[in-house]
């Protein structure tokens, strides 16, 4: 059995005038995350975890923030392309375990919707996607409500 584990981390600054996309869904919040794409911090961390597990470098390598074709792109497209890269290397996704860190908005009510969307995009069962939410207890840039971070671990298996 050839299994691998990868770790992903991402952070984005909150800014006014942007939509807030996390886990493939839009949240109703007066600020969004700053970035070249839609800045979906959770999807970006998951992509990095998957790419790292397969030793395929990172999200910035495959989808650079200097490339005009990725400007304002829906991060679900990036995740689909990431899953395709893994499948080309004969890897299947075992499970994802992720944590979002934000003071606001509250993430917990949205977790089932995020799991459903990510399950469809990655073509894996909903119960293979764990998403947890926490705060930073008012410490650091997350605590000051300046940004949101996400951490993800992915297990993949060679077919």
């Amino acid at each position: 059995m050839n299994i691998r584990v990868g770790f992903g981390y991402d952070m984005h600054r909150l800014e006014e005038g942007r939509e807030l996309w996390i886990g493939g869904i839009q949240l109703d919040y007066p600020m969004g995350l700053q970035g070249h794409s839609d800045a979906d911090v959770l999807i970006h961390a998951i992509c990095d975890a998957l790419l790292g597990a397969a030793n395929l470098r990172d999200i910035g390598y495959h989808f650079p923030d200097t490339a005009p074709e990725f400007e304002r792109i829906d991060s679900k497209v990036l995740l689909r392309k990431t899953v395709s890269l893994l499948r080309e290397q004969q890897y299947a996704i075992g499970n994802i375990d992720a944590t979002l860190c934000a003071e606001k908005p509250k993430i917990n009510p949205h977790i089932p919707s995020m799991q459903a969307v990510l399950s469809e995009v990655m073509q894996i069962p909903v119960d293979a996607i764990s998403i947890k939410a926490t705060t930073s207890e008012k410490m650091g840039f997350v605590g000051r409500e300046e940004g949101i971070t996400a951490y993800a671990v992915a297990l993949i298996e060679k077919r």
Side-chain angles (χ1 to χ4, degrees), residues 10-155:
D10 197 31
M11 69 171 103
H12 286 277
R13 180 179 301 279
L14 283 162
E15 80 173 21
E16 292 185 20
R18 293 213 26 146
E19 296 174 344
L20 181 59
W21 288 88
I22 300 178
I25 66 168
Q26 185 177 0
L27 281 68
D28 183 22
Y29 194 65
M31 293 190 288
L33 294 169
Q34 178 185 49
H36 187 68
S37 66
D38 65 6
D40 189 320
V41 68
L42 178 59
I43 288 182
H44 295 181
I46 291 170
C47 286
D48 266 349
L50 291 167
L51 291 166
N55 195 20
L56 293 174
R57 302 198 54 173
D58 60 42
I59 191 171
Y61 177 80
H62 293 279
F63 315 111
D65 64 6
T66 55
E69 65 266 29
F70 302 124
E71 187 171 2
R72 302 287 182 166
I73 195 167
D74 181 338
S75 290
K76 293 186 295 290
V77 173
L78 304 181
L79 182 56
R80 279 189 189 96
K81 290 178 184 241
T82 297
V83 171
S84 181
L85 288 169
L86 264 69
R87 290 193 176 130
E88 288 172 13
Q89 299 298 314
Q90 304 303 308
Y91 287 108
I93 300 170
N95 72 298
I96 304 291
D97 182 24
T99 301
L100 283 158
C101 188
E103 296 295 324
K104 292 180 184 172
K106 291 294 181 194
I107 301 297
N108 275 318
H110 306 286
I111 289 174
S113 297
M114 292 176 186
Q115 289 172 304
V117 168
L118 295 172
S119 167
E120 185 275 322
V121 171
M122 292 186 283
Q123 295 294 292
I124 62 174
V126 170
D127 70 357
I129 304 166
S130 169
I131 302 171
K132 302 169 304 298
T134 190
T135 68
S136 66
E137 301 294 329
K138 306 285 185 198
M139 296 182 293
F141 80 96
V142 172
R144 291 187 301 271
E145 299 177 29
E146 296 172 5
I148 297 175
T149 61
Y151 306 84
V153 177
L155 177 75

